[in-house]
Amino acid sequence: MSTFASKEYDASSYAAFRPVYNQNLYDLIALYASKRGAGTTALDLGCGTGQVTRALLKMYDKVIGVDPSPSMIQQAKLESAEWDEHDRVTFIVGTAEDICSYLGEHSVDLVTAGQSAHWFDQSKIWNALEHVVKSGGVVAFWVECYHPNTKSPPNVVMRLTPQPLIQGYGSFRITGRPDLTSMLRNFASNENGLGPFWQQPGVSILDAKYRTIQFPNNDAWLASSSTRVFLEGPSEDGTTLPYRSFDDALQSGLLTEPEWRTDTIIDRSLTWNNMTAYFRTWSAVHSYQQQYPIDKEKTGRGAEGDIVDRFIESLRQALQEPSDEVDVYWPVFLMMGKRASLVGSPEKMQLE
């Protein structure tokens, strides 16, 4: 996450223009992670400016937000000072792999990582999580169903070894205009544009929908309890993955199924100005303009502007949309997994 950790990265813009998850996502997590409420603790890794951190305060007694970027944590602390729940949240500058240095053994009921697990050192993170997650606790990561840089179809589904909870967002899709998805991808992946400026290996992991992140095959984790959810609405490509509305899924207990599809959780109407600002939060845009500062100097000049301005003008023409707003949605890919009960724990003794 070196771009986001950069002193030059605008954390305030990140906070203002990144998409916001709706309550359905947290309801889904809450149902899966049955242990919550008084006396519980959640850990939000790669917390950024605290969007998910704050939402977790509705379910957990104490929440700890961790991010390697001092500017992100500074912005999170600034915003959280206005929260009614500010006395129940702690923000720490640090890495996910070092959580053992500031958290006690088996002290956390839930761990989330929204759009950040692809930056973790996979050779270290699982040992760290095994140390801090309580008996029966949940690991909760997230990532978009496809990244704009991906070369594979967005809805390909593969059955894999069960993995932990993962969820997140990437480039949006334009509602009702699947024909423009390739245009959005090309903007991000073009080798003569932003393509080379997505940080590796993070984006390759993201492109693979976290399939390269292996859930530990050991007794510390309950692989049989994991579930994979595609939060992108009914299939548009004939994929046979079972679809359930959120209400039906929560009532029917479909969380026990290994793979299923449900409603989108991030959709909104963007003004053209907001869409432009959102693209400018991309780490690749930041890196591109660091290498080509003359491009950044053109910002705000429309068709003669910087790389974002030029794309926005092309998208306007392709849409032929007179409206000041465009309806968009972000597909989300979610995986959930649980820590096994520890020997001697209350949960373990009840089972025995």
Side-chain angles (χ1 to χ4, degrees), residues 4 9 13-14 16-20 115 144 146-148 169-173 184 187 198 266 268 270-286 308 311-312 328-331:
F4 295 126
Y9 190 83
S13 290
Y14 182 96
F17 295 110
R18 281 288 180 162
V20 177
Q115 195 73 358
E144 73 274 14
Y146 79 102
H147 183 269
Y169 58 80
S171 181
F172 55 73
R173 300 178 189 177
L184 289 162
F187 170 54
W198 294 104
I266 313 177
R268 61 188 293 188
L270 292 179
T271 66
W272 288 102
N273 285 341
N274 284 347
M275 187 184 296
T276 301
Y278 162 70
F279 284 133
R280 294 197 197 286
T281 69
W282 282 9
S283 61
V285 171
H286 178 83
V308 174
F311 176 71
I312 288 292
V328 303
Y329 69 98
W330 283 260

Side-chain angles (χ1 to χ4, degrees), residues 32 160-164 215-227 258 336-340:
Y32 186 82
L160 302 171
T161 302
Q163 301 197 17
F215 190 52
N217 186 21
N218 59 38
D219 294 337
W221 305 94
L222 297 175
S224 62
S225 73
S226 65
T227 184
M336 299 186 274
K338 290 182 179 178
R339 179 80 160 86

